[in-house]
Amino acid sequence: MAQSHWDVVIAGGGLGGATLGRALAMHGARVLIVEHELAFKDRVRGEGMLPWGVAEARALGIDALMRDSGACEVRWWKRYLNGTARDTRDLIATTPTNNGCFNFYHPSMQQTLLDAARDAGAEVRRGVTVVGLETGDAPALVIHTENGDERLRAKLVVGADGRRSVMRRLARFTPNQDASRLIIAGVLHEDLDTPDDTVQYFQQPSIARSALIFPLGERRYRSYFIYGAGTRDHPLSGSHNAQTFIDLSVETGVPREWYADARTTGPLAAYPGADCWVEHPYRDGVALIGDAAATSDPSFGCGLALTLRDVRVLRDCLLSNDDWHAAADDYARQHDVYYASLHRIEDWLTQLMYETGPLADSRRARVFPHLAKEPQRVPDLQGRGPDNPTDEHARRRFFAEDIATV
Ligand SMILES: Cc1cc2nc3c(=O)[nH]c(=O)nc-3n(C[C@H](O)[C@H](O)[C@H](O)COP(=O)(O)OP(=O)(O)OC[C@H]3O[C@@H](n4cnc5c(N)ncnc54)[C@H](O)[C@@H]3O)c2cc1C
């Protein structure tokens, strides 16, 4: 079997793998990225990166590149409750790092960042599949190519191969999986009659539904419809459901006239929203990043930001410690803390905004007025993500349990 030696071999050339490859190659590491796909297509993935992720992009030095490659910074975040406009947030003025969302078409941004990794000196091999892994002090990835299998030995192997990670299994991590509470369906629309500078978020908690529209620029929009698991017989996927997707969005509050000239121009796919994660995403020479380490529920739109947080933290650990085993261990320790914090916030939001039934309704009736009066009770998911306090005190404030009921 052919064999080669690298500092880092990265399985997966998504936003996580490509950005890490670029960052390490820029500092002189010999990096190889192996990517299964020969050409990127619409997989219905994240296209709205929250402001705390934009801050990570800036720390990684890719924000200008992303802007130049079509990411548009969206300033306004508008919320509707049960069909009535609730508030409009100026993200640039109110987030700690003064960023809007970065919205972009995922397949072209994947290509941009993979090209950038190559420009920085990383080698990129496409159309190859990971088929084996040897863990230990000198780990190796085994890939299948048209010329036979190859062993790629490295100081560190990174699994950046997404939500259905093969690397997670090959490295014998034990995944944890939340119960399925939400389903998220997404589709690409063109020519919606809605402003280009605003993310639109429609929520109908009593029936566990939300609709979200992220403008991507050039009259394109990624539309999501989120619904309670078990509330539909069949998943909302496949082109035959395109009109049902629109009808359900309208029932959830999106004005029907926005769709007058709309065209559906990408696949309609539905995914379970449940988190899947590993504790301590480093062992025996193999680190996991991005969705491979922790797939956070896409209903809350934090996956891209979390992926770039992983890249930035792993990069900083590796660049500040020659002992890469200790450095990757340090990354995994930090990951446990910030991912757990994000997971708690998403759990609270799921309980408050998607649980149904009389108890859930009466909790909302009690809690909503307090949150409206003191919005700082709600963790700032867009601006601060996992850096919000998430201890018991924060939980009680969110659910207004610190206020006596009479
Ligand atoms: C419906 C939906 C909506 C979402 N919406 C949002 C949102 O609005 N905002 C947000 O921030 N996040 C969102 N996300 C999450 C976001 O898309 C992910 O968190 C992000 O793409 C993870 O990046 P990644 O690089 O870890 O993985 P991926 O983007 O999945 O990239 C993994 C790469 O690895 C390659 N690969 C896989 N297996 C192999 C193999 N065996 N060998 C070689 N290559 C392999 C794949 O081809 C792919 O290119 C959404 C996700 C879904 C499913």
Side-chain angles (χ1 to χ4, degrees):
M1 195 191 300
Q3 180 150 298
S4 57
H5 291 262
W6 304 86
D7 290 325
V8 189
V9 171
I10 301 172
L15 262 60
T19 308
L20 181 69
R22 173 185 176 276
L24 296 178
M26 281 177 68
H27 285 85
R30 287 170 306 126
V31 177
L32 173 66
I33 302 172
V34 295
E35 166 55 46
H36 181 67
E37 297 294 332
L38 282 168
F40 294 125
K41 54 183 185 299
D42 188 351
R43 293 178 293 149
V44 192
R45 284 295 186 276
E47 301 193 325
M49 191 162 74
L50 295 182
W52 66 275
V54 178
E56 297 293 354
R58 191 184 295 158
L60 285 159
I62 56 168
D63 56 329
L65 175 67
M66 292 179 81
R67 274 181 207 273
D68 293 346
S69 313
C72 44
E73 185 167 18
V74 173
R75 178 166 199 150
W76 306 100
W77 183 279
K78 185 164 183 176
R79 295 189 302 174
Y80 306 76
L81 188 62
N82 301 322
T84 305
R86 189 156 53 132
D87 52 24
T88 304
R89 180 176 180 187
D90 180 342
L91 294 168
I92 294 180
T94 62
T95 50
T97 49
N98 302 111
N99 298 117
C101 282
F102 260 14
N103 293 1
F104 48 81
Y105 183 56
H106 196 113
S108 34
M109 195 54 72
Q110 246 188 299
Q111 186 62 51
T112 294
L113 290 169
L114 208 48
D115 289 346
R118 186 180 277 138
D119 292 346
E123 185 167 329
V124 178
R125 293 185 59 184
R126 299 188 65 166
V128 295
T129 309
V130 173
V131 291
L133 177 69
E134 295 166 16
T135 56
D137 286 343
L141 203 60
V142 181
I143 56 167
H144 185 66
T145 76
E146 55 185 16
N147 302 318
D149 288 357
E150 272 182 52
R151 180 180 286 110
L152 310 166
R153 205 163 281 292
K155 280 166 68 180
L156 178 72
V157 170
V158 176
D161 53 342
R163 56 190 286 128
R164 295 201 180 94
S165 174
V166 168
M167 294 293 293
R168 195 164 54 205
R169 178 172 51 76
L170 291 174
R172 297 181 189 283
F173 286 96
T174 307
N176 303 284
Q177 174 91 42
D178 276 343
S180 179
R181 291 189 286 183
L182 301 175
I183 308 288
I184 176 168
V187 74
L188 191 65
H189 281 136
E190 288 187 28
D191 294 328
L192 286 191
D193 190 9
T194 178
D196 265 357
D197 58 358
T198 308
V199 174
Q200 311 277 354
Y201 194 3
F202 299 83
Q203 294 175 290
Q204 232 180 344
S206 59
I207 52 170
R209 283 184 185 173
S210 293
L212 261 161
I213 299 174
F214 284 93
L216 306 181
E218 298 175 344
R219 309 298 302 152
R220 293 199 291 184
Y221 303 83
R222 180 62 67 181
S223 303
Y224 296 114
F225 180 73
I226 299 157
Y227 54 99
T231 61
R232 283 181 59 82
D233 291 340
H234 304 288
L236 188 59
S237 59
S239 54
H240 61 287
N241 275 310
Q243 187 57 46
T244 308
F245 182 100
I246 290 175
D247 292 341
L248 287 168
S249 302
V250 169
E251 281 175 27
T252 309
V254 184
R256 177 152 321 260
E257 56 273 22
W258 287 9
Y259 296 103
D261 298 317
R263 290 175 299 127
T264 299
T265 51
L268 168 56
Y271 295 85
D275 277 41
C276 176
W277 74 101
V278 304
E279 302 290 344
H280 201 77
Y282 173 73
R283 58 182 298 186
D284 292 335
V286 182
L288 301 180
I289 62 168
D291 276 12
T295 307
S296 75
D297 183 342
S299 316
F300 297 99
C302 287
L304 295 167
L306 182 62
T307 296
L308 291 192
R309 167 70 60 98
D310 293 356
V311 172
R312 198 255 303 160
V313 172
L314 181 57
R315 175 200 68 173
D316 290 351
C317 290
L318 293 174
L319 294 182
S320 61
N321 191 342
D322 290 339
D323 177 348
W324 276 16
H325 171 75
D329 241 352
D330 188 15
Y331 152 72
R333 262 192 302 276
Q334 294 187 50
H335 186 279
D336 283 351
V337 174
Y338 59 73
Y339 167 67
S341 171
L342 193 62
H343 193 193
R344 277 192 290 276
I345 295 171
E346 293 182 355
D347 176 52
W348 302 346
L349 290 169
T350 306
Q351 287 181 48
L352 188 66
M353 300 309 289
Y354 289 99
E355 282 187 0
T356 56
L359 278 178
D361 286 339
S362 66
R363 177 163 61 190
R364 280 188 282 272
R366 188 178 61 78
V367 172
F368 278 3
H370 295 295
L371 301 188
K373 204 159 71 187
E374 292 179 77
Q376 64 278 16
R377 287 179 171 273
V378 183
D380 178 6
L381 194 63
Q382 288 86 22
R384 292 166 58 90
D387 302 326
N388 286 281
T390 59
D391 55 9
E392 179 58 12
H393 176 68
R395 190 197 67 76
R396 286 175 57 78
R397 271 177 62 74
F398 176 67
F399 288 106
E401 290 172 8
D402 56 332
I403 295 169
T405 44
V406 254

